[in-house]
């Protein structure tokens, strides 16, 4: 039977080729901060978290925020891709493979979006220097514009991070180019005020992110799928608009990315654009870090309340779909079989799920056998704050993470 003769749900369970990687179906667990790497060491809880995603039916699960440089971490508990973490990451990738899935490492650098101070470095790196509004809470009041030597080092750090991911058994890497992290700081005019060949026009602002993508492809592109996640719109005045998102996609496709994950928004300025709905006040109650608690409070004051609606980023994703001819993973509020039908019928090759799979890792299998067509996730966004708890990220409607497992190194 041809794909054309299959229903949309059946097509969602057909294999998908992404570069050198063949996925068993079209469902991807998107990267979501797990809070399961105390002092940067992947825990047994992190292993169980991702193995459950694979066992529940997701073809590919994504390990969030693996920093490629010591100065690239955004939080003290963030994974650093280095030799010390390889044994722990190997336990994780082996567990995911044993559960029948593939696994991706999201490789990133926080730039000036960091709450971690690096010894010997007074100012975090960014596209442009000057006042660092993100650093107000952590005492890093200024940022430093990257020079050519910085760019060469960071690009090689991304390439080496990808090589280490390959050595740790990962099947793919996802380069994070959105949400206000370093590469996003180059892409967005909100952060990039440069007047050299890396600033000004979008083509210039894409120059360094394209360099990073090229070096990662050259390093591992024959062995691992190389995916790029980016913001189709920054969702804030003076940032990138949807038409810019289309051009960003064209640049990444031209450079050779194997697939794009279509997200939106910025962590500090427009988080409701990213999540499609507002954060509840209850989130601050579970956060013990005073810096993060204060940041969340200020963020809620700055953004207008928004109610959740399914497929809230589809209007932007359609524009990208019409502009490029490479695999696209839609991300943003998929909660039902009807949503799957819509995305498949509109030509999206893959579907990335975050909150839905945190709520129930088995949802993909239940969708396949017809036992459930709509997720029980309420998009309350309380799972986001759970990453700061001892057990790590979990759904408040279900079982919390295990603090004991989360205190035990994966390879311990």
């Amino acid at each position: 039977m041809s794909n054309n003769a299959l229903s949309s749900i059946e097509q969602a369970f057909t294999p998908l080729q992404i570069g050198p990687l063949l996925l068993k179906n079209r469902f991807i667990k998107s990267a979501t901060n797990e809070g399961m790497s105390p002092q940067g060491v992947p825990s047994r809880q992190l292993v169980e978290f991702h193995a459950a995603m694979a066992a529940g039916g997701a073809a590919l699960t994504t390990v969030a925020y693996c920093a490629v440089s010591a100065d690239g971490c955004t939080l003290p508990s963030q994974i650093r891709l280095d030799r010390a973490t390889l044994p722990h990451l190997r336990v994780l990738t082996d567990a995911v493979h044993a559960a029948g899935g593939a696994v991706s490492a999201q490789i990133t650098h926080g730039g000036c979006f960091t709450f971690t101070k690096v010894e010997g470095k007074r100012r975090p790196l960014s596209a442009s220097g000057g006042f660092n509004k993100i650093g107000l809470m952590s005492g890093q009041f200024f940022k430093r514009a990257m020079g050519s030597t910085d760019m060469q080092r960071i690009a090689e750090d991304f390439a080496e991070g990808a090589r280490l991911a390959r050595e740790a058994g990962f099947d793919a890497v996802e380069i994070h180019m959105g949400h206000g992290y370093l590469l996003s700081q180059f892409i967005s005019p909100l952060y990039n005020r440069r007047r050299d060949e890396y600033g000004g026009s979008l083509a210039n602002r894409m120059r360094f992110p394209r360099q990073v993508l090229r070096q990662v492809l050259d390093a591992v592109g024959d062995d691992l799928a190389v995916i790029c996640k980016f913001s189709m719109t920054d969702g804030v005045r003076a940032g990138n608009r949807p038409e810019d998102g289309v051009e960003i996609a064209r640049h990444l496709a031209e450079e050779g990315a194997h697939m794009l994950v279509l997200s939106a928004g910025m962590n500090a300025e427009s988080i409701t654009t990213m999540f499609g709905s507002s954060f509840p006040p209850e989130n601050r109650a579970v956060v013990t870090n005073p810096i993060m608690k204060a940041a969340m409070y200020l963020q809620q004051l700055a953004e207008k309340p928004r109610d959740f609606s399914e497929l809230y980023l589809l209007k932007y994703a359609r524009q990208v779909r019409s502009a490029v001819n490479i695999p696209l993973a839609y991300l943003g509020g998929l909660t039902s079989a009807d949503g799957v039908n819509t995305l498949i019928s509109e030509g999206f090759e893959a579907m990335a799920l975050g909150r839905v799979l945190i709520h129930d890792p088995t949802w993909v299998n239940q969708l396949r056998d017809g036992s459930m067509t709509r997720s029980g996730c309420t998009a309350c966004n309380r799972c986001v704050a759970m990453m700061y708890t001892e057990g790590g990220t979990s759904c408040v409607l279900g079982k919390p993470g295990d603090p004991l497992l989360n205190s035990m190194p994966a390879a311990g």
Side-chain angles (χ1 to χ4, degrees):
M1 183 182 291
S2 69
N3 272 0
N4 290 335
L6 296 175
S7 71
S8 293
I9 288 292
E10 288 174 317
Q11 287 186 49
F13 287 95
T14 59
L16 173 65
Q17 191 77 41
I18 305 173
L21 175 63
L22 181 65
L23 297 180
K24 66 180 182 182
N25 64 43
R26 311 304 181 92
F27 294 95
I28 295 170
K29 167 61 180 68
S30 66
T32 50
N33 259 319
E34 299 107 346
M36 298 176 188
S37 300
Q39 288 77 54
V41 179
S43 71
R44 293 188 186 181
Q45 180 71 16
L46 185 67
V47 173
E48 290 203 359
F49 181 85
H50 285 286
M53 299 299 166
L60 180 70
T61 184
T62 313
V63 179
Y65 303 101
C66 300
V68 298
S69 313
D71 59 355
C73 293
T74 59
L75 295 165
S77 60
Q78 185 175 349
I79 295 173
R80 166 80 192 283
L81 260 176
D82 57 19
R83 296 237 155 249
T85 59
L86 286 193
H88 307 284
L89 292 171
R90 171 59 78 171
V91 172
L92 188 155
T93 59
D94 286 348
V96 171
H97 294 150
V103 56
S104 176
Q106 184 184 70
I107 55 177
T108 188
H109 190 294
C112 68
F113 191 90
T114 178
F115 301 94
T116 301
K117 292 185 179 181
V118 178
E119 187 175 351
K121 294 184 181 291
R122 292 189 301 169
R123 298 186 178 189
L125 298 174
S126 189
S128 299
F131 177 64
N132 180 23
K133 62 185 176 184
I134 304 300
L136 282 176
M137 300 294 177
S138 57
Q140 298 177 92
F141 304 120
F142 297 96
K143 54 189 177 180
R144 179 170 70 83
M146 290 173 62
S148 58
T149 301
D150 298 311
M151 291 185 207
Q152 291 171 11
R153 174 179 70 84
I154 297 298
E156 178 51 35
D157 285 346
F158 271 94
E160 180 60 16
R163 294 185 196 101
L164 289 169
R166 178 178 59 191
E167 189 174 339
F170 285 94
D171 306 285
V173 290
E174 179 184 276
I175 307 173
H176 203 334
M177 296 186 175
H179 299 173
Y181 298 106
L182 178 63
L183 298 181
S184 175
Q185 290 159 31
F186 272 84
I187 296 171
S188 175
L190 192 66
Y191 284 85
N192 188 337
R193 307 296 175 86
R194 300 177 73 102
R195 296 185 179 181
D196 61 4
E197 67 270 32
Y198 294 96
S201 69
L202 180 58
N204 280 358
R205 301 198 308 271
M206 286 298 300
R207 194 182 300 271
F208 179 56
R210 286 187 64 154
Q211 177 186 341
V212 169
L213 172 57
R214 173 46 45 200
Q215 290 193 218
V216 171
L217 282 165
D218 289 345
V220 300
D222 292 335
D223 303 316
L224 304 185
V226 178
I227 302 165
C228 292
K229 183 177 186 176
F230 75 100
S231 294
M232 296 179 289
T233 176
D234 288 343
V236 61
R237 187 176 298 178
N240 281 322
R241 298 164 296 179
E243 53 266 38
D244 299 312
V246 171
E247 290 305 310
I248 294 167
R250 287 191 174 121
H251 278 281
L252 298 176
E254 183 179 277
E255 198 61 53
H258 296 146
M259 185 171 73
L260 305 180
V261 175
L262 308 179
S263 189
M266 306 287 267
N267 273 312
E269 295 84 3
S270 54
I271 201 164
T272 55
T273 299
M274 190 190 313
F275 285 90
S277 54
S278 304
F279 277 26
E282 291 88 346
N283 274 10
R284 296 199 304 274
V286 300
V287 177
T288 57
N289 185 313
I291 293 175
M292 299 307 300
K293 190 184 288 283
M296 292 169 69
Y297 175 71
L298 293 174
Q299 195 170 58
Q300 287 173 350
L301 290 179
E303 293 202 73
K304 295 179 180 179
R306 182 182 302 182
D307 293 328
F308 177 83
S309 61
E310 188 170 13
L311 304 183
Y312 56 86
L313 294 180
L314 184 55
K315 62 181 178 180
Y316 306 130
R318 283 173 174 147
Q319 297 177 49
V320 176
R321 177 69 290 169
S322 66
V324 297
N325 190 31
I326 66 170
L328 299 178
Y330 175 85
L331 171 62
L334 173 61
T335 60
S336 69
D338 287 343
V340 173
N341 287 329
T342 296
L343 294 174
I344 292 294
S345 66
E346 296 206 18
F348 295 96
E349 287 83 0
M351 291 147 286
L353 301 160
R355 290 165 290 186
V356 163
L357 295 186
I358 292 172
H359 172 71
D360 185 356
T362 70
W363 189 70
V364 174
N365 281 344
Q366 293 182 76
L367 185 68
R368 182 185 59 193
D369 64 26
S371 61
M372 183 178 290
T373 58
R374 180 169 291 280
S375 168
C377 174
T378 63
C380 68
N381 294 327
R382 291 184 65 186
C383 57
V384 179
M386 294 301 287
M387 68 165 285
Y388 300 107
T389 64
E390 290 184 350
T393 299
S394 64
C395 178
V396 297
L397 300 177
K399 182 181 177 181
D402 186 330
L404 179 59
L405 284 181
N406 206 28
S407 68
M408 302 169 67

